[in-house]
Each structure stands twice: as C-alpha cells, then as structure tokens.
Amino acid sequence: MQAWFHEQPTRQVSLRNPALSPKVPSAGSAPVDWEPSLAFLKLAIGVLLGGAACFFTLLAYYGQFATPRSALVLFVAAVAALSGVLLAQGRRRAAVFTLCFGAWTHATLASFLTGGVSSVAVIIYPVLIALAGWLIGMRAGFALAALSVGWTLFLTFVESWGWLPSAPTTHPPMRWLVYGIAFTLMAALVGYLSVAYDAQLAQGRALARELTERGAQLAATFGAIPDLLFELDLDGNIHAFHSPQAGLLAAPPAALIGARIDDFIPPQAAEVGRMAMREALDSGFSRGRQYSLDLPQGKRWFELSVARKPVAAAEPARFVVLARDVTERVEAAATIERLNASLEERVRERTAQLEDANRELESFSYTISHDLRAPLRSMVGFSGLLREALGDRASSEEGDYLKRISASGNRMSELIDAVLEYSRLGRSAAQRVTVDLDLLVAEVAAELGATYPQAQVRVLPLGSAEVDPVMARQIFTNLIGNALKYSAGAPQPLVEVGANTDAAPREFYVRDNGIGFDMAHAEHIFELFTRLESGPGFDSTGAGLAIVKRLVERHGGRIRACARPGEGAAFFFTLDAAPQEARA
C-alpha cells in the first residue's frame, strides 16, 4: 500500500476548492503575473510619476529649471509613463524591463552629473536591484547588481582622478524627496513581500492539509477496492501494487516490487497480461481478458482491465492493471451452461414424448375413425333393414325403438367426427396469410343465412388480418351458426359481426339477440361436449365452441363470452397475437 502511494506523482492531485489554490507564479510563467507583483509594479510607477512631478516643482522653485537635472526628471517621468502604457496593454514583462533598467539608467546618469558616489541618486540602486530580482527573476537582479557595483567602482575611480563634472547644489528638500521615494519604495517592497509570503505560507499550509485529507481519502478508496491493482511496464516489471487480500498474491508483498510478473504467475497467464498491455499501448485500454491461477485455496479465475498511464514523452510506457477475481462468475456461467445442456436434453426428451403422444393420438384417431365407425354403420344399417322388413307388422313401440337406435347411431357418428376434428386442430399450426375478413364473413353469412331466412346478419367493417384462412372461416362459421341457431326463436332474429378497433390487439365479436345463458356457466361453455341448452331446434354435439377456442389459440388469441338469459349472447376474440405452436 505504501509502495503504491509512493509511486503516485503529486501532479495528478487536483484541488477542487478555489479558495485553497494559491495565486503564485506557476512553472514557466513570469513572476509579474502574480497579483502582489502587479500591485507593487503599479505602486512603483505611481510613486515615480508623483516623485518626478514634485522634484520638477522643486527645481523650478530653486531656479534650476534649465539645468541637466530637469532633463533627468523628464527622463524618469517618461520611463514611468512608458511602463504604465505597456502595463495597460498587457505587456507586463516589457513594462517591468522598461521600469527597472530605465530607472537604473536614470540613476546612473544622475550619479555621474550630481556628485558621483556621494550622489543621492545612488540610494535608488538597492530598490531597483530588489525590484528586478523579484519581478523579472534572479538573473536580472544579479545582472543589475553587477552593473551597479561596476558603475560605483568606476565612479570611485574617476572621482579620485577628478574627472567628474562639478556637482550642482542639492537643497535639503530635493535630497529628502529622493530619500523619501527610495524609502517609500523599499518599505512598500518589504511590506508587499511580507504580506504576500505570509498569505502564501497560509495557503501552503491549507494546501498541505488538503493534500493530507485527499491522501487519506485516496487511501480509503484503494482500501475499498476488492481487486488486485498493479503498475507494470511493457516488460512486465512490477513498480507498484495494491492488494486487499494478501492470500491472492503468489508471493509476499515485499518481494513483488521490482520483480517481473513472469516470476510469480504461469507463462500462459503472463502472456495474457502482456497481450492486454500491448493492446492498451495502441488503444489506451484493454478489458475482458481472463486467465486462471492455481492458488492454495483452489483454482481462481481473474479478468484483466488495463489502462495506459500518462507519462512524459521521454519516459517508458507504464500500465495500470486491475485483476478482478471472477471465479464466482465463471463458475456460475459454467453452471448455467450445464443447466442449459441438461435443459436441452430434457427438451429433446419432452419433444420425443410429445411425438410419441402424437403418434398414439393419431393411432387413437385411426381407431375411432375405422374401428368404431364400422360397428356404428352396421348398427344403423341393420336397424333400418329391420324396420323395412317388419313394415306394418312392427308395433308402434318396436318402430320407436328402431328409430331411436338409428338416431343414436347417427348421433354417435357426429360425436366421432367432432372428436376427430378437435384432435386434428390440436396438431395443426396456423398458416398465416393476409385475409379480407369482410369478404370471408359475408360469404359465411350468405351460406348460413339460407337456413334461417327470417334472421338478419349485420356485418360491420372488419378489415383484413394475418390469419389462417381455413381456421378463420371455421371460427366465424361456428360462432355465426350458433348465434343464428339460438336466436331463431326471437321475433326479429339479429346477428351482428364487428370489430373493436380501439383495442390492442384488435378484438372481433359476434353478437345475437337470442336466448342467451347464465354467466355462472360461462367457464364451461368452451369445454368439449358441453351444452347449456337442449331441446328441439338446439341439436348440437357440444364441440363447436371448444373447436373455436382451440382455433383462436392457434392464432395466439383469446376468447371470452358475455350473456344474459333471454337477452342474447356475445363472443369476443382476438386473432392478431403471435401464433402458438401446434399442441397435442
């Protein structure tokens, strides 16, 4: 953990709190960009301009207006003004150079013309040296100091030989004005430096506290990461690591730093890591590569996520490698794969069982169709022959018995046909095509309406649908036939066929004004051989609605009924859902 933190460059830590970010000159920027430097520079320009004006006034007062001193005062005023203009234009470094070296040039000329080493102008040298060293840099300060020392030695030499011009009279106010300017600038310089560096020290302390807090947060973050974290180079050398679980390491932590990863994991696993780093070298990151290790606690699977670490251009590539223990996920995936394989096997077994059941059902259907029909045909045929043979000799009771035998045989034949039809529909799948339901229902209504001439069949717009045409015809035939049959006794029989286009999926309906039924029995009306009404005119096998329900389900739809005794019935169904597979 310590090694990992020691490896982290401090430049990666960013401060989010602007109040804790000291306004100090950064690497590569001019010291004059610092706020205290700008403030002092403006103060120095103002003091020099003000001092020049005062000195010029004193010169005029003492009658020295036409002396070289006036030219020197105008020179320093021009230097200060030019520095102010450059500062206003944002050319801060040019303003500092102009002020420092221009003021130094003024002091040099003034010392030559007004008394040499004993000139009051010499007192300004320390201020200018400190100003240049602060605002421009140490080299500028040393350069100006060297020039000042050299010029002072030169003045001493020429003064000893008497080569200097005679010095003009310097009145006390003039002398104290120069001293005042120098002392003011020096005091301001010292004051600004003291205040600025006190503030900088406070900011540095706040920054240290912030870095300490962020370091503690960072340590907590790394401690909460449950994965192995390494810093490697392209050759596989370990530079840092983080591991919350020492048991997952192949060696003691102290032995990892500086070693090669090939020394601790199998070659094939190390190759996975190198491949991931090569990928990250090109694209910046690599994710999803897995390898396994045989550890004391058993075989463990790991997944690598590699990111290239930002480094300087001349430094070798470094990579942050996160190795996540995905053993549970891999084992879960293997379990799911085994379950899927066993599920597929069970599906195959179930499919085989269904195929066997279908074959048995087909065999049963064949038995019903052939083995039961033959004795039924014999029974009905012989009962008819017997009735014809007896003729008038048969009593009314015997004739009634023979009619019942024939009717029962025919009834049994109809039931056999219904069972076979129901079974056949259960094994067939819907073959969907686009069908014009308006045309289909009109044809069905015309065919059935001939049997019930007194009834009216009203067909509202239905549109087209993707349905099996044969099955759809059977659905509407059975429902409309039932509606005509059970409404035949009404004074004005009416059957209405329509669709509710607001529903999703679209819902069709067949409604009549017939005898209806009690909704307490509604759940049974779709069962095979269930009949709620019996008597003359209502002969039925009880399979019609069961067949309709199965055909609707073949289309993936649903059917429901709504009725009241004596007030008619309505059947609602959908056909636009996904079709179901054929069932046994």
Side-chain angles (χ1 to χ4, degrees):
M1 195 68 176
Q2 293 296 326
W4 176 259
F5 288 131
H6 291 166
E7 288 291 323
Q8 306 311 303
T10 57
R11 63 176 178 271
Q12 292 184 352
V13 178
S14 61
L15 295 178
R16 300 297 182 186
N17 187 353
L20 297 179
S21 300
K23 297 179 180 179
V24 297
S26 60
S29 65
V32 75
D33 292 335
W34 192 21
E35 185 176 335
S37 300
L38 289 174
F40 181 77
L41 179 59
K42 293 176 183 178
L43 175 66
I45 293 173
V47 169
L48 288 178
L49 287 174
C54 293
F55 203 88
F56 199 80
T57 301
L58 290 174
L59 286 176
Y61 177 77
Y62 286 110
Q64 298 182 2
F65 184 78
T67 62
R69 279 183 171 176
S70 297
L72 291 174
V73 173
L74 291 176
F75 179 80
V76 75
V79 167
L82 179 59
S83 296
V85 171
L86 292 173
L87 184 62
Q89 294 176 348
R91 300 167 64 184
R92 299 174 179 178
R93 194 168 180 82
V96 173
F97 269 99
T98 301
L99 183 65
C100 291
F101 287 95
W104 185 88
T105 303
H106 165 269
T108 300
L109 293 174
S111 63
F112 183 78
L113 297 175
T114 59
V117 177
S118 59
S119 172
V120 294
V122 176
I123 197 174
I124 203 70
Y125 280 153
V127 178
L128 296 177
I129 293 170
L131 186 65
W134 179 21
L135 297 181
I136 302 176
M138 294 299 295
R139 291 184 180 180
F142 281 121
L144 209 57
L147 290 174
S148 300
V149 171
W151 177 253
T152 304
L153 291 176
F154 173 75
L155 287 178
T156 303
F157 176 74
V158 297
E159 186 177 3
S160 65
W161 287 89
W163 292 349
L164 289 177
S166 59
T169 302
T170 301
H171 298 281
M174 294 182 179
R175 182 181 299 276
W176 285 112
L177 178 61
V178 174
Y179 289 160
I181 292 174
F183 293 155
T184 299
L185 291 178
M186 184 63 72
L189 178 63
V190 173
Y192 270 110
L193 288 175
S194 176
V195 173
Y197 280 101
D198 283 345
Q200 183 180 1
L201 181 60
Q203 293 170 351
R205 289 171 177 170
L207 176 62
R209 289 194 299 270
E210 176 74 7
L211 291 177
T212 301
E213 293 175 359
R214 292 189 177 275
Q217 293 168 8
L218 186 61
T221 300
F222 274 101
I225 296 177
D227 308 314
L228 299 176
L229 201 61
F230 292 87
E231 182 179 330
L232 306 174
D233 58 29
L234 197 56
D235 295 328
N237 297 312
I238 303 174
H239 295 273
F241 76 95
H242 160 72
S243 173
Q245 304 178 39
L248 295 179
L249 297 176
L256 293 176
I257 302 299
R260 287 172 56 86
I261 198 169
D262 306 64
D263 300 332
F264 302 104
I265 64 176
Q268 63 272 20
E271 180 58 26
V272 171
R274 281 191 292 270
M275 291 172 60
M277 286 190 290
R278 285 193 292 268
E279 182 180 354
L281 183 65
D282 297 330
S283 61
F285 62 89
S286 174
R287 299 188 183 96
R289 297 184 179 271
Q290 293 185 355
Y291 65 92
S292 62
L293 293 177
D294 292 325
L295 300 178
Q297 57 268 49
K299 187 174 185 178
R300 309 293 294 181
W301 284 89
F302 296 89
E303 183 176 88
L304 292 182
S305 294
V306 180
R308 186 174 181 179
K309 181 181 177 181
V311 295
E315 296 181 12
R318 292 281 187 89
F319 303 90
V320 176
V321 181
L322 187 147
R324 174 162 295 178
D325 187 351
V326 294
T327 304
E328 294 182 359
R329 191 175 75 190
V330 171
E331 292 177 348
T335 301
I336 292 174
E337 186 175 355
R338 288 193 299 269
L339 290 175
N340 286 337
S342 62
L343 179 60
E344 291 176 0
E345 180 61 27
R346 290 197 298 272
V347 169
R348 284 193 292 269
E349 294 176 356
R350 179 59 176 164
T351 302
Q353 293 173 358
L354 291 176
E355 290 175 351
D356 291 341
N358 282 334
R359 284 192 293 269
E360 292 177 0
L361 185 57
E362 290 175 0
S363 176
F364 176 70
S365 299
Y366 179 84
T367 300
I368 293 177
S369 178
H370 294 80
D371 296 350
L372 293 184
R373 283 184 186 275
L376 275 177
R377 285 194 296 269
S378 298
M379 182 178 66
V380 173
F382 284 126
S383 65
L385 291 175
L386 181 59
R387 188 171 62 252
E388 291 177 0
L390 291 175
D392 295 338
R393 291 178 296 164
S395 63
S396 60
E397 186 176 6
E398 291 172 342
D400 183 59
Y401 288 159
L402 291 174
K403 288 180 181 180
R404 291 189 178 188
I405 292 173
S406 180
S408 297
N410 291 330
R411 173 68 175 167
M412 186 64 180
S413 180
E414 292 175 357
L415 291 175
I416 291 173
D417 290 339
V419 170
L420 292 175
E421 177 67 11
Y422 189 80
S423 175
R424 182 185 66 80
L425 293 175
R427 297 192 303 272
S428 61
Q431 303 298 320
R432 288 177 178 258
V433 295
T434 302
V435 175
D436 185 348
L437 295 181
D438 294 307
L439 179 60
L440 183 147
V441 173
E443 293 175 353
V444 171
E447 293 173 1
L448 297 176
T451 309
Y452 301 92
Q454 301 299 322
Q456 178 187 0
V457 180
R458 181 189 302 161
V459 181
L460 301 180
L462 300 173
S464 59
E466 296 289 328
V467 295
D468 185 299
V470 176
M471 293 185 180
R473 179 177 290 273
Q474 187 70 49
I475 290 171
F476 284 103
T477 297
N478 286 12
L479 291 177
I480 296 175
N482 269 7
L484 288 170
K485 177 170 58 177
Y486 290 110
S487 63
Q492 293 180 337
L494 174 64
V495 175
E496 183 178 280
V497 183
N500 182 7
T501 57
D502 295 333
R506 182 173 39 168
E507 190 174 50
F508 303 94
Y509 65 86
V510 176
R511 181 184 293 122
D512 64 69
N513 62 346
I515 63 175
F517 57 85
D518 190 345
M519 286 296 292
H521 307 293
E523 62 182 21
H524 301 295
I525 63 173
F526 296 108
E527 295 176 359
L528 191 62
F529 303 140
T530 297
R531 298 172 59 208
L532 301 183
E533 298 292 341
S534 62
F538 300 118
D539 292 337
S540 172
T541 62
L545 291 179
I547 291 175
V548 168
K549 181 175 182 294
R550 176 153 285 198
L551 291 176
V552 169
E553 290 175 346
R554 290 274 63 76
H555 287 79
R558 301 181 66 181
I559 186 169
R560 60 187 177 90
C562 183
R564 285 184 181 179
E567 297 182 12
F571 292 86
F572 302 88
F573 58 96
T574 59
L575 297 174
D576 293 332
Q580 297 179 355
E581 297 299 327
R583 298 178 297 184

